[in-house]
């Protein structure tokens, strides 16, 4: 402690001297400073390192320590960029679900599962093996590693009926995450200015991808069992749209899960209108009381374009996904993906393939089902007890989130702001509507960190809603 205090005293004295010294002025030698302050050489060196880290001095080997020249920041005029850039396009802002939360805040907003729900040992071992392989020095094929493409095709094909031809590895294109796949699908299959039917509410990232692709979003109302096939048919007929984006299993944010009957009705509607169904199976690994049954497994006519991601279930560091499409659509998608990302890291593909082909991966998924069920039920019970004004109208059969209905005339953005001020971060539901919101909602993630804090988080949400009701 004495050495630290002495070093601080030397730093303070030398900063005073430096403030009036000319750039390039030499500081006294270390021997002089040792004698002047009556300290050890180690203490003097500690003080000089501190001054160097502050950018006040620089050491020159064999010459000594000198006052560093000060850089005077110039005021820049970027006004010329206003004319060069033109008027900005209206783009959705990044969702509250993507914001990092401080350690002292209860985080119910995130879109990702906590690290303890991930196969950490499998991922670490896979990275170690990949680091010793040739993939660290090679470029992977544009469509992805053949073995990984075969795995994606086989997983989807396992659910194909006997009279449906399963997908082949040649139908698969590996992507650097599903967000890029959405953008590619909207560009390649829809195109700027053309209509895209989309569930309402829906994944905010799909709305962002649609805006970036310049497509015209047409909302189709969707409930806990998916969209009404008659409403969907009318939307196709009225707009001339040839594509519909949907999440049939554990939709984000609602948790909606289509029944087999509803799925068949939607697929029949898409076929009748000669259109594509862009099926986002983001939560394939997060079933609780049901398992995903991809529509793509029951379609070999090329109507369903299937997106499957491993990022949330394997690791956020392994941004690997795939799109499975048949016919000319697959070639258009591959061309678009190549233009934007050329190829996906072979190391990340190798890691993903290593993890999902280990026997322990299946064991992990079985355990994950129970973990997610326990967390979901814990948060549901906490809301029932401490936040009766927050209603969960449909308990999700899988996924990561609860879609919570708030009292009418409640502003979700204001509720989210007040909750955060009180110590809990939530995601306001208005971010998930492609048009006007059909009610006041919050999205709460039950797979985030510290489920032991769910009770306190629910208490805060309950108090905030009570305060808003009294206004």
């Amino acid at each position: 402690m004495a050495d630290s205090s002495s070093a601080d005293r030397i730093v303070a004295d030398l900063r005073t001297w430096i403030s009036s010294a000319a750039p390039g002025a030499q500081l006294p030698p270390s021997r002089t400073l040792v004698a002047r302050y009556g300290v050890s050489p180690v203490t003097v060196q500690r003080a000089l390192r501190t001054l160097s880290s502050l950018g006040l001095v620089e050491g020159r080997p064999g010459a000594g320590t000198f006052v560093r020249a000060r850089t005077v920041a110039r005021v820049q005029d970027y006004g010329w960029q206003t004319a060069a850039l033109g008027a900005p396009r209206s783009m959705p802002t990044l969702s509250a679900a993507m914001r990092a939360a401080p350690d002292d805040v209860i985080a119910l907003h995130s879109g990702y599962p906590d690290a303890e729900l991930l196969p950490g040992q499998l991922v670490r071992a896979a990275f170690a093996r990949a680091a010793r392989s040739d993939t660290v020095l090679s470029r992977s094929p544009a469509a992805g590693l053949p073995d990984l493409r075969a795995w994606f095709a086989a997983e989807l094909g396992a659910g194909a009926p006997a009279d449906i031809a399963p997908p082949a590895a040649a139908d698969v294109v590996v992507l650097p995450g599903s967000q890029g796949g959405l953008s590619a699908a909207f560009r390649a299959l829809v195109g700027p200015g053309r209509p895209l039917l989309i569930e309402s509410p829906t994944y905010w990232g799909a709305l962002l991808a649609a805006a970036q692709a310049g497509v015209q979003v047409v909302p189709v109302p969707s409930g806990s069992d998916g969209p009404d096939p008659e409403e969907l048919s009318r939307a196709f007929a009225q707009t001339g749209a040839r594509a519909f984006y949907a999440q049939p299993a554990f939709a984000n944010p609602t948790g909606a899960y289509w029944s087999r009957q509803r799925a068949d009705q939607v697929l029949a509607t898409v076929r009748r209108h000669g259109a594509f169904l862009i099926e986002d199976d983001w939560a394939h690994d997060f079933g609780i009381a049901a398992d995903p049954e991809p529509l793509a497994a029951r379609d070999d006519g090329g109507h369903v374009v299937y997106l499957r991601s491993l990022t949330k279930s394997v690791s956020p560091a392994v941004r690997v996904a795939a799109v499975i499409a048949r016919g000319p659509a697959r070639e258009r998608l591959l061309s678009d993906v190549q233009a934007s990302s050329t190829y996906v890291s072979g190391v990340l593909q190798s890691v993903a393939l290593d993890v999902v082909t280990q026997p322990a991966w299946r064991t992990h998924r079985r355990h994950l089902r129970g973990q997610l069920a326990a967390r979901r039920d814990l948060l549901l019970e906490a809301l029932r007890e401490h936040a009766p004004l927050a209603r969960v109208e449909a308990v999700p059969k899988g996924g990561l989130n609860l879609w919570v209905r708030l009292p009418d005339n409640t502003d979700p953005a204001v509720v989210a702001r007040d909750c955060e001020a009180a110590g809990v971060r939530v995601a306001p539901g208005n971010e998930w509507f492609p048009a006007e919101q059909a009610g006041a909602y919050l999205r709460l993630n039950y797979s985030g960190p510290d489920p032991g804090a769910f009770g306190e988080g629910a208490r805060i949400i309950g108090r905030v809603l009570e305060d808003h009701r009294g206004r």
Side-chain angles (χ1 to χ4, degrees):
M1 292 295 292
D3 285 348
S4 177
S5 176
S6 297
D8 292 342
R9 178 167 56 89
I10 298 171
V11 168
D13 285 353
L14 291 180
R15 289 189 71 166
T16 302
W17 179 82
I18 290 169
S19 65
S20 58
Q26 185 173 10
L27 273 68
S30 295
R31 290 191 301 274
T32 302
L33 295 175
V34 167
R36 178 185 299 175
Y37 292 102
V39 296
S40 70
V42 172
T43 301
V44 168
Q45 290 303 314
R46 180 183 299 167
L48 294 177
R49 284 197 301 270
T50 299
L51 292 170
S52 179
S53 69
L54 295 172
L56 299 177
V57 301
E58 58 184 358
R60 300 175 188 172
T65 303
F66 299 82
V67 176
R68 177 172 289 175
R70 301 175 184 85
T71 301
V72 179
R74 292 190 301 160
V75 177
Q76 297 288 351
D77 180 7
Y78 299 112
W80 65 270
Q81 292 189 4
T82 302
L85 292 170
R89 285 193 300 159
S90 178
M91 297 287 289
T93 57
L94 195 65
S95 170
M98 296 300 293
R99 295 172 57 200
D103 291 340
D104 59 346
V105 168
I106 301 169
L108 298 178
H109 70 298
S110 175
Y112 285 82
D114 188 48
E116 70 178 27
L117 299 177
L118 301 177
Q121 290 185 341
L122 290 178
V123 172
R124 291 185 179 92
F127 266 109
R129 284 188 285 268
R132 297 192 296 269
S133 72
D134 291 340
T135 56
V136 297
L137 300 174
S138 60
R139 178 178 68 84
S140 68
L145 296 180
D147 288 349
L148 182 59
R149 291 162 57 201
W151 180 87
F152 277 117
E155 182 193 56
L156 181 60
D163 59 342
I164 297 294
D171 300 320
V172 180
V173 177
V174 178
L175 307 165
S178 61
Q179 186 66 28
L182 289 175
S183 297
F186 296 163
R187 286 191 302 262
L189 306 181
V190 183
R194 297 179 63 187
L196 168 69
L197 305 187
I198 194 165
E199 291 179 291
S200 179
T202 192
Y203 170 46
W204 68 266
L207 299 176
L208 179 60
Q212 290 175 326
V215 304
Q216 176 191 351
V217 170
V218 180
V220 176
S222 189
S224 59
D225 191 32
D228 183 335
E230 292 185 3
E231 287 281 356
L232 180 62
S233 185
R234 275 194 292 271
F236 273 123
Q238 291 172 0
T239 65
R242 291 300 182 92
F244 172 43
Y245 167 77
Q247 306 168 79
F250 322 131
N252 181 8
T254 64
Y257 181 83
W258 298 5
S259 66
R260 171 63 73 92
Q261 180 183 11
R262 179 58 53 88
D264 288 342
Q265 291 171 334
V266 170
L267 186 53
T269 301
V270 169
R271 287 169 173 160
R272 189 167 63 250
H273 288 275
F276 292 105
L277 169 63
I278 302 171
E279 180 181 11
D280 188 350
D281 196 14
W282 73 276
H284 187 90
D285 300 316
F286 301 132
I288 297 176
D291 292 310
E293 297 182 357
L295 278 72
R298 305 199 298 276
D299 171 66
D300 56 4
H303 286 280
V304 182
V305 174
Y306 178 74
L307 278 166
R308 165 77 160 103
S309 175
L310 295 172
T311 300
K312 282 186 169 67
S313 54
V314 172
S315 168
V318 183
R319 289 197 59 79
V320 172
V323 60
I324 301 179
R326 309 195 198 205
R330 187 263 187 190
E331 302 311 312
R332 290 202 183 188
L333 285 163
L334 177 57
S335 295
D336 189 282
V337 170
Q338 280 187 280
S340 59
S341 59
T342 310
Y343 61 90
V344 180
S345 162
V347 171
L348 295 184
Q349 292 186 69
S350 295
V351 168
L353 180 62
D354 189 326
V355 170
V356 299
T357 54
Q358 295 289 334
W361 168 247
R362 292 188 291 274
T363 303
H364 165 76
R365 288 186 59 189
R366 286 196 299 271
H367 291 163
L368 180 61
R369 183 185 293 264
Q371 291 173 299
L372 290 175
R375 285 166 172 259
R376 179 199 63 184
D377 295 345
L378 183 62
L379 184 54
L380 280 168
E381 183 58 35
L383 290 172
R384 292 190 189 107
E385 181 177 355
H386 303 298
L389 294 177
R391 294 182 294 113
V392 178
E393 298 172 327
V395 177
K397 297 178 180 179
L400 306 176
N401 311 297
L402 297 181
W403 188 232
V404 180
R405 181 68 185 262
L406 306 181
D408 292 338
N409 302 318
T410 302
D411 186 336
V414 176
V415 169
R417 181 199 66 197
D418 293 348
C419 284
E420 183 166 351
V424 60
R425 184 169 288 179
V426 299
N430 49 295
E431 297 179 349
W432 280 269
F433 287 93
E436 292 80 10
Q437 60 188 40
Y441 292 89
L442 297 178
R443 195 202 70 169
L444 305 181
N445 182 352
Y446 52 77
S447 70
D450 193 11
F454 285 176
E456 179 59 22
R459 288 188 189 91
I460 293 172
I461 294 170
R463 288 198 297 268
V464 169
L465 291 177
E466 288 288 352
D467 290 345
H468 278 250
R469 186 170 67 167
R471 294 178 184 176

